Amino acid sequence: QVQLVESGGGLVQPGGSLGLSCAASGSIFSINVMGWYRQAPGKQRDLVAQITINGNTNYAASVKGRFTISRDNAKNTVHLQMNSLKPEDTAVYYCNTRHSGGRVYWGQGTQVTVSS
């Protein structure tokens, strides 16, 4: 019903930056919350950042001050700007959306690797 397509992952050195984008398409209706989760090998999937339709944001403590989440409601996109990246940020990053009516969708994931 709704498809999420992520882009922007890749390999970066510690201290570098990457920007992730996610575009939603399909029977979208209203996206109440858009967010990013990440999962490292052998670990659970955890919330990185999320943003509501009104622009309220929430960040994991480990990324606060380094990452910035934003969204364009008209274009149904969400962006995660990641600065001062650390090796601990290495993970597969997943876009997530929560829609009016209780629908939840996930992207396929994009790899972010922080290594020297």
Side-chain angles (χ1 to χ4, degrees):
Q1 190 77 170
V2 174
Q3 295 182 357
L4 305 179
V5 179
E6 301 127 325
S7 62
L11 174 65
V12 65
Q13 292 186 328
S17 299
L18 283 175
L20 304 181
S21 294
C22 174
S25 62
S27 300
I28 295 173
F29 295 96
S30 180
I31 307 177
N32 293 336
V33 184
M34 305 186 82
W36 291 92
Y37 291 70
R38 67 186 182 187
Q39 186 169 27
K43 298 185 178 180
Q44 67 179 30
R45 186 177 299 185
D46 293 324
L47 174 70
V48 177
Q50 61 184 17
I51 183 169
T52 72
I53 194 169
N54 300 124
N56 296 321
T57 59
N58 183 43
Y59 296 91
S62 59
V63 308
K64 195 170 186 177
R66 300 187 296 120
F67 293 7
T68 302
I69 190 169
S70 60
R71 65 186 285 174
D72 186 329
N73 294 333
K75 296 183 178 181
N76 296 313
T77 58
V78 61
H79 182 77
L80 184 68
Q81 181 62 43
M82 305 184 294
N83 299 324
S84 302
L85 283 162
K86 305 175 180 179
E88 306 91 90
D89 297 317
T90 296
V92 177
Y93 284 68
Y94 297 89
C95 182
N96 168 265
T97 58
R98 292 166 49 196
H99 300 247
S100 179
R103 295 176 298 145
V104 178
Y105 298 95
W106 293 92
Q108 80 288 345
T110 184
Q111 177 70 45
V112 172
T113 302
V114 185
S115 177
S116 59

